[in-house]
Amino acid sequence: MKIATFNINGIKARIEALTEWLAEAQPDVACLQEIKSVDEAFPRAHFEDLGYNVETHGQKSFNGVAILSKLPLEDVTRGLPGDDTDEQARWIEATVVGRTAIRVCGLYLPNGNPAPGPKYDYKLAWMKRMQARVTELLATEEPLVFCGDYNVIPQPEDAAKPEDWKTDALFLPESRAAFRRLIHLGLTDAIRTRDPRPGTYTYWDFQRGAWERNNGIRIDHLLLSPQAADLMRETGIDKAVRGREKPSDHVPAWVDLDA
DNA sequence: ATGGTAGCGGTGCTA
């Protein structure tokens, strides 16, 4: 079962690039972030025609997550528990029914800039809520995959120029510590474990020729519970997608599970 | 220190 994460930065603008990548990469499951669309405006029928089941958790203009799956999806839930006043669409869960059932959580973690400030406070509070949800799900001892745009650069080697990110919410010590706390619950960073080659990033800014200079960062992650890590066969980052027409600023990252 | 680009939506916000 090939599970991918892809921050598409607007479904309307990315429908062609996404369709091309789906055709060549053939993921069984694709978790999408920043669909920037309400549910009613998501081109559901287009992806259903390609053989995908479609579940969205959208929002006007900003954020928004979705799961496309060739396999049946069960027990779909929307929103990260822990704050009923949070109206930002950043979390969706579903159980993918393959040979082995996998609980997949697609997430778009808050950016947090500028830091310090209310946006950074929201990011850290959100990560605390995620910690609680992950803890809850780990107790089920099911195979779990938490994938998405984490907006966290875990280590200096995950940035081409780490010194440029010293005061950025993506690399501040509190953000990295909160990410480490997730890892220390027992999750495996699939890409880091299986594809730790330097210079393999998942995001290059649209500005200042970041792509041309390979000035990237690795912020899109797939974290696996022990039961999912045991099934891990292969991982990858589809870097070439960034060099095409009308690209997102992120590229897909994926894991293949024996499930 | 600044401003550079992209998407959404029709202005300024978010990243």
Side-chain angles (χ1 to χ4, degrees), chain A residues 25-196:
Chain A
Q26 290 289 320
D28 298 296
V29 182
C31 292
L32 308 178
Q33 301 88 40
E34 285 204 88
I35 64 173
K36 295 185 174 179
S37 164
V38 293
D39 294 333
E40 306 78 61
F42 192 89
R44 154 186 300 275
H46 172 78
F47 296 103
E48 288 174 343
D49 289 347
L50 299 176
Y52 286 95
N53 297 299
V54 178
E55 296 289 347
T56 61
H57 180 37
Q59 175 183 340
K60 186 181 178 183
S61 305
F62 306 116
N63 309 319
V65 289
I67 301 179
L68 310 182
S69 175
K70 290 186 171 180
L71 296 159
L73 295 174
E74 292 183 349
D75 302 323
V76 180
T77 65
R78 294 166 175 79
L80 179 62
D83 180 359
D84 293 339
T85 69
D86 186 358
E87 294 182 347
Q88 300 191 30
R90 298 179 173 275
W91 184 273
I92 188 169
E93 295 182 20
T95 298
V96 183
V97 187
R99 189 154 42 78
T100 303
I102 309 285
R103 186 72 175 168
V104 174
C105 303
L107 64 110
Y108 176 47
L109 205 148
N111 176 295
N113 282 303
K119 291 187 177 180
Y120 194 52
D121 295 340
Y122 175 67
K123 176 179 196 157
L124 295 178
W126 200 96
M127 293 184 82
K128 194 170 182 179
R129 286 162 59 200
M130 179 171 170
Q131 178 95 4
R133 183 58 182 151
V134 171
T135 300
E136 201 169 56
L137 285 168
L138 280 168
T140 68
E141 300 190 8
E142 292 173 325
L144 313 169
V145 175
F146 302 92
C147 63
D149 177 359
Y150 280 70
N151 272 313
V152 175
I153 303 165
Q155 306 275 14
E157 59 264 35
D158 297 314
K161 300 171 77 174
E163 64 276 13
D164 286 0
W165 298 90
K166 285 291 184 197
T167 62
D168 193 285
L170 278 62
F171 194 57
L172 281 173
E174 298 95 322
S175 303
R176 296 170 56 199
F179 184 83
R180 277 198 302 273
R181 282 194 287 274
L182 290 171
I183 296 292
H184 291 158
L185 290 173
L187 301 181
T188 296
D189 179 340
I191 300 290
R192 178 172 173 81
T193 303
R194 300 299 295 266
D195 197 13

Side-chain angles (χ1 to χ4, degrees), chain A residues 3-20:
Chain A
I3 302 173
T5 177
F6 189 5
N7 181 325
I8 56 174
N9 192 7
I11 185 59
K12 200 180 301 177
R14 215 65 63 213
I15 188 156
E16 289 182 14
L18 175 58
T19 300
E20 182 181 5

